[in-house]
Amino acid sequence: MNNAHIDVRTVLFWGISAVILLILPQLFPLGYLVNAMITTVVWIIFALAFDLSAGHVGAVSLGHAVFFGVGAYVAAIAAPQLGLGYFGSMGLSAVTMGILALIAGIAFFRIAEVSFAIGTLGALIIAQQIANNAYDLTNGPMCIQSVPNPTIHLPGNAISVTQPVEYYYALLPLLLLTLIVYRLLTTQRIGRAFASVREDEVRASAMGVHPLRYKLLAFSVGGALIGALGSFQAQYITVVCPSELAIDYTLTMLIIVFVGGAGRMRGVVIGAILFNTLPRILENIGGGTIPPAYQQVIYGLILLGVVLYMPDGIDGLITRLTGGRKSKRQVVTDA
Amino acid sequence: MQETTDSGPSGSKSRPKRALSFLRVQNAYAFIGLVLIVIFAWVFFVIEIEPQFYLQEGERARYAWDTFISQFIIGLAQGSIYALIALGYTLVYGILFMINFAHGEVFMAGAYIGFFAINAAEQSGFLESQTALAILLTMGVAVMGSVIVAILLERIAYRPLRGAPRLVPLITAIGASITLQQLFLRLFGSSPRTYPRISLFVGQGMWGCEPVDGTTVCEGIDLISKSYDVLIFNQEVRIRPFFFVILFVSLLLMSALWFFIQRTKTGKAMRAVAEDKDTASLMGINVDRTIVITFMLGAALAGAGAVLFALYNRQVTPFMGFIPGIKAFTAAVLGGIGNVPGAMFGGLFLGVAESVFPSALGLPNQLKDVVAFGLLIVFMIFRPTGIFGEVLSEKKA
């Protein structure tokens, strides 16, 4: 990384975030708080992996939950039979989902962007229907119950993960990996290639950037990360249902990514945190001024409003208010 | 508008060789013929030849001609509703090159508003005394409701984004779609609303004669709710006359649409705007107005389809529009999105395919969604132009 671009504020931001992430469960060892933090981290990883293809190469797939759900099923069905531990199971889901994403990408990237979105949605519905009907494999709507609690094999001893706090710390390495991979892929040469593919594929290929290759890279890396996340989810909840393949995940992901700011790491992270904390805070402080039942209506309206009036999301707003760097989109169109 | 720039290695035109190129039959009718021959050959095999290998004495085959015929008719009825919705996608795509993802919710809104109309008619006894008129009125109210929702959608979610990158309206459409679904859920509750059971007798004294207490009473045929045993091709099949009503009404509406597009001045304006917005506007065509009219037409068909659908299924829920919406989109893709006769044909084809295929292939019937979306993906990948060959891609921007 180019040293000239690392300024003190960025280092402070990430440093403080890391400290908070590590210390918070120790300061407040409350079950529900830790569970809420796990959910938030899951969504951060999910949204970042989704943003790799949606925000950076401009391929919005409405079927990303396939990697999550099928990854969870792989962890619930195959991993115990192979006797894999926590990280082994994650690795297996990541590899299989990476390959699935690669194959799906080769097939689906032949179609134009908007049809791509709906084609992947079709694939998601197909996956859910199969999970619902393949009783022998997935137990159908009765779900796969009692996925074994994971064990982490360290040189010397094996730790069994059972408490929420333990799950939380077991999830952090995946978060770190996701952040590093995201950073590596979206800066430097690859990141610029991604941006060029997103803005104009014809021009990108004229510049010697093969659009399909970069799209496949973003799509399969994102798929692999989400697969690993699905494996975590299966071992954390210990139940895997066809509802893991629901369209709801897609909608939540769209809201997080577009409200936070598509194609911006900070924005996506902020979006995921807000999405998971704001409703709880509103419920407690507002004293029920907004009935929780109307939350979904409000989510829909927020998504609508943000796209119409705040196309760069919250991160774009922050950048504008602090007078920071120009938005990435602008840099590319200016160039 | 219609420029055909080649779009790099990932575009669909510049690639000289593709897999399964034999699927790219240039002549649509040859393609349809091929598909029909394959389907009938397979059905014939399953019904006539395969049972000889596994059937024991006195056992009934798992699939026979009567099942096939009744599934085919149900498929036609279901398909004509898909076709009505698909026309909404295709009309909007033909003009704006965007996919109105919230169209399924326009359909749902029509069914709900129709429910309130027909419910009021039932409460007041009007449905009992003037059944046909009440159903017509219900359809009118549902059409109005759908049209209003569509106008609001266009004004709020799509018009500000005309000219934005093409993914952006899709995201607002998804936002609008969730908002509408959840709004109806909160306003009218999550328990399904049920349309009343309606009987509409026609042809008194001609058909439907039954012996009652020794004398023959001819009360006519119930067009909507009852099923009858009928002989078709020497097979006894149990069908509802309503299937044919759906097919007939849909074909009527579709031909009305076809007439409107081809013969009226507004239809001409729509075709001009689809061809080239800027030039059309130079010729004195009000582009905004024409686009609104396009949305209204699509919504009207969806509203009429919604009432037919609800009279058939009777249950109305806030989520009922989602799956039919995507299936209708599939139908539009099958026929070639942006192509009006294509959407009609695609709808009927999809309806029949998802009704007939699962049992013909020996799969559980719940997998019909898999058949539908499998077709969607296969067509998108191998024949993105659909059967009738309108280009579905970034070629038009």
Side-chain angles (χ1 to χ4, degrees):
Chain A
M1 216 169 277
N2 197 341
N3 282 322
H5 285 297
I6 296 181
D7 66 336
V8 185
R9 276 196 307 183
T10 322
V11 174
L12 267 181
F13 176 77
W14 291 111
I16 292 172
S17 313
V19 171
I20 291 176
L21 275 175
L22 283 172
I23 284 184
L24 208 56
Q26 299 297 333
L27 290 180
F28 308 99
L30 306 164
Y32 81 88
L33 181 80
V34 178
N35 280 327
M37 288 190 72
I38 291 177
T39 320
T40 311
V41 173
V42 164
W43 275 116
I44 292 175
I45 299 172
F46 210 147
L48 283 174
F50 174 67
D51 190 47
L52 270 182
S53 58
H56 287 280
V57 293
V60 175
S61 131
L62 299 182
H64 253 61
V66 166
F67 304 127
F68 188 69
V70 180
Y73 272 115
V74 167
I77 297 167
Q81 287 184 352
L82 296 173
L84 292 173
Y86 175 76
F87 288 110
S89 164
M90 262 188 185
L92 179 69
S93 292
V95 170
T96 46
M97 290 308 102
I99 294 169
L100 180 70
L102 193 68
I103 296 167
I106 290 172
F108 281 102
F109 283 128
R110 300 162 71 106
I111 47 189
E113 47 190 7
V114 176
S115 326
F116 171 80
I118 297 187
T120 48
L121 179 61
L124 176 65
I125 298 174
I126 289 179
Q128 198 188 6
Q129 291 287 335
I130 290 176
N132 254 322
N133 286 292
Y135 288 92
D136 302 337
L137 195 62
T138 64
N139 220 3
M142 269 84 79
C143 308
I144 295 181
Q145 311 279 350
S146 65
V147 179
N149 276 24
T151 43
I152 297 175
H153 298 287
L154 294 176
N157 60 336
I159 309 165
S160 177
V161 182
T162 48
Q163 295 301 310
V165 182
E166 293 164 1
Y167 273 108
Y168 176 75
Y169 285 114
L171 178 59
L172 286 185
L174 185 60
L175 176 67
L176 187 67
L177 178 72
T178 310
L179 289 172
I180 292 172
V181 167
Y182 187 93
R183 195 79 190 167
L184 284 180
L185 284 186
T186 56
T187 53
Q188 321 274 318
R189 206 193 90 80
I190 300 178
R192 289 194 297 278
F194 278 173
S196 73
V197 171
R198 178 188 66 210
E199 295 302 326
D200 193 333
E201 285 187 22
V202 182
R203 252 185 279 176
S205 55
M207 293 300 181
V209 173
H210 196 298
L212 183 61
R213 268 179 221 157
Y214 284 92
K215 281 167 141 180
L216 284 178
L217 178 66
F219 199 61
S220 49
V221 170
L225 287 171
I226 293 177
L229 193 66
S231 158
F232 171 80
Q233 183 83 355
Q235 302 182 62
Y236 168 53
I237 311 278
T238 68
V239 175
V240 182
C241 293
S243 61
E244 302 294 347
L245 291 159
I247 174 86
D248 306 19
Y249 285 112
T250 301
L251 302 176
T252 311
M253 223 146 41
L254 284 177
I255 291 171
I256 290 177
V257 167
F258 282 89
V259 170
R264 298 143 174 270
M265 176 151 88
R266 191 176 59 180
V268 173
V269 173
I270 291 175
I273 292 172
L274 280 185
F275 184 84
N276 283 284
T277 53
L278 216 53
R280 287 164 209 263
I281 295 171
L282 282 179
E283 266 170 50
N284 291 330
I285 293 176
T289 42
I290 304 170
Y294 278 91
Q295 264 176 27
Q296 293 273 326
V297 183
I298 294 168
Y299 290 160
L301 286 174
I302 289 176
L303 184 58
L304 201 65
V306 163
V307 174
L308 285 175
Y309 302 111
M310 230 163 68
D312 281 331
I314 293 171
D315 191 57
L317 199 68
I318 295 173
T319 313
R320 226 183 311 157
L321 290 181
T322 54
R325 66 201 159 87
K326 263 180 161 181
S327 91
K328 265 185 202 161
R329 250 156 235 234
Q330 247 172 323
V331 174
V332 173
T333 31
D334 288 354
Chain B
M1 198 93 259
Q2 296 261 14
E3 62 186 342
T4 46
T5 47
D6 274 357
S7 60
S10 74
S12 47
K13 240 190 181 165
S14 61
R15 197 182 305 221
K17 263 191 164 179
R18 359 169 100 238
L20 296 178
S21 55
F22 65 89
L23 273 176
R24 299 184 62 75
V25 182
Q26 288 306 313
N27 188 333
Y29 297 99
F31 181 80
I32 295 168
L34 197 74
V35 169
L36 285 180
I37 289 170
V38 169
I39 291 173
F40 277 103
W42 173 253
V43 168
F44 185 81
F45 172 76
V46 168
I47 293 175
E48 296 288 346
I49 297 168
E50 198 194 22
Q52 293 173 3
F53 294 106
Y54 71 88
L55 212 59
Q56 307 290 323
E57 266 304 306
E59 221 180 2
R60 208 179 127 76
R62 68 172 167 84
Y63 194 60
W65 282 114
D66 55 346
T67 326
F68 171 73
I69 292 171
S70 70
Q71 280 176 345
F72 191 88
I73 293 169
I74 293 174
L76 276 183
Q78 187 69 46
S80 44
I81 292 171
Y82 291 152
L84 284 178
I85 312 173
L87 283 168
Y89 283 106
T90 260
L91 285 172
V92 169
Y93 187 88
I95 284 199
L96 287 176
F97 307 114
M98 60 159 271
I99 289 162
N100 179 7
F101 193 79
H103 194 58
E105 272 54 54
V106 171
F107 171 81
M108 179 271 290
Y112 256 93
I113 294 160
F115 166 78
F116 293 115
I118 205 162
N119 202 34
E122 194 199 16
Q123 302 290 326
S124 65
F126 182 60
L127 186 64
E128 192 75 27
S129 54
Q130 294 286 341
T131 313
L133 192 60
I135 291 173
L136 273 183
L137 271 178
T138 302
M139 214 171 248
V141 171
V143 165
M144 293 271 283
S146 285
V147 166
I148 290 169
V149 171
I151 292 175
L152 288 176
L153 258 182
E154 198 271 338
R155 185 62 58 89
I156 295 169
Y158 300 144
R159 191 179 293 186
L161 293 170
R162 220 175 278 159
R166 305 237 250 121
L167 270 173
V168 179
L170 182 74
I171 307 291
T172 54
I174 292 171
S177 165
I178 314 171
T179 311
L180 280 172
Q181 262 178 23
Q182 296 292 331
L183 199 66
F184 274 75
L185 179 66
R186 297 308 155 205
L187 289 177
F188 307 123
S190 57
S191 56
R193 301 296 176 113
T194 312
Y195 270 54
R197 194 181 161 82
I198 304 166
S199 292
L200 177 62
F201 289 100
V202 294
Q204 277 91 345
M206 288 167 71
W207 304 297
C209 298
E210 284 172 73
V212 179
D213 299 333
T215 54
T216 308
V217 177
C218 292
E219 60 169 356
I221 287 179
D222 180 3
L223 272 186
I224 294 180
S225 292
K226 265 199 193 143
S227 304
Y228 296 90
D229 289 326
V230 187
L231 273 183
I232 300 176
F233 295 128
N234 259 341
Q235 300 286 331
E236 190 166 276
V237 181
R238 194 168 178 77
I239 51 166
R240 270 168 78 167
F242 192 52
F243 295 142
F244 294 105
V245 175
I246 295 179
L247 188 61
F248 176 73
V249 173
S250 311
L251 289 178
L252 201 71
L253 287 170
M254 289 185 231
S255 26
L257 176 78
W258 183 246
F259 177 82
F260 185 86
I261 294 177
Q262 296 297 329
R263 292 278 183 277
T264 64
K265 210 171 172 186
T266 321
K268 207 177 208 176
M270 279 168 63
R271 283 181 285 139
V273 172
E275 199 76 24
D276 187 334
K277 274 198 243 350
D278 299 326
T279 313
S281 133
L282 286 177
M283 298 296 151
I285 293 169
N286 187 339
V287 174
D288 277 342
R289 191 171 145 267
T290 313
I291 289 173
V292 173
I293 289 174
T294 310
F295 270 89
M296 287 167 67
L297 277 178
L301 293 175
V307 172
L308 290 175
F309 183 82
L311 284 173
Y312 165 49
N313 271 355
R314 295 190 48 214
Q315 296 226 322
V316 181
T317 71
F319 302 108
M320 67 179 276
F322 182 66
I323 292 287
I326 307 179
K327 281 196 184 154
F329 175 77
T330 305
V333 170
L334 293 189
I337 191 160
N339 181 324
V340 171
M344 301 176 191
F345 182 82
L348 293 176
F349 180 78
L350 180 70
V352 170
E354 71 163 27
S355 173
V356 168
F357 276 177
S359 25
L361 297 175
L363 298 168
N365 222 3
Q366 285 92 324
L367 288 180
K368 63 178 190 174
D369 290 359
V370 175
V371 171
F373 297 121
L375 272 176
L376 170 71
I377 292 171
V378 166
F379 261 77
M380 274 184 163
I381 293 173
F382 295 113
R383 198 176 164 87
T385 54
I387 298 169
F388 288 93
E390 181 83 5
V391 179
L392 167 72
S393 69
E394 64 267 71
K395 299 299 180 298
K396 298 178 168 180

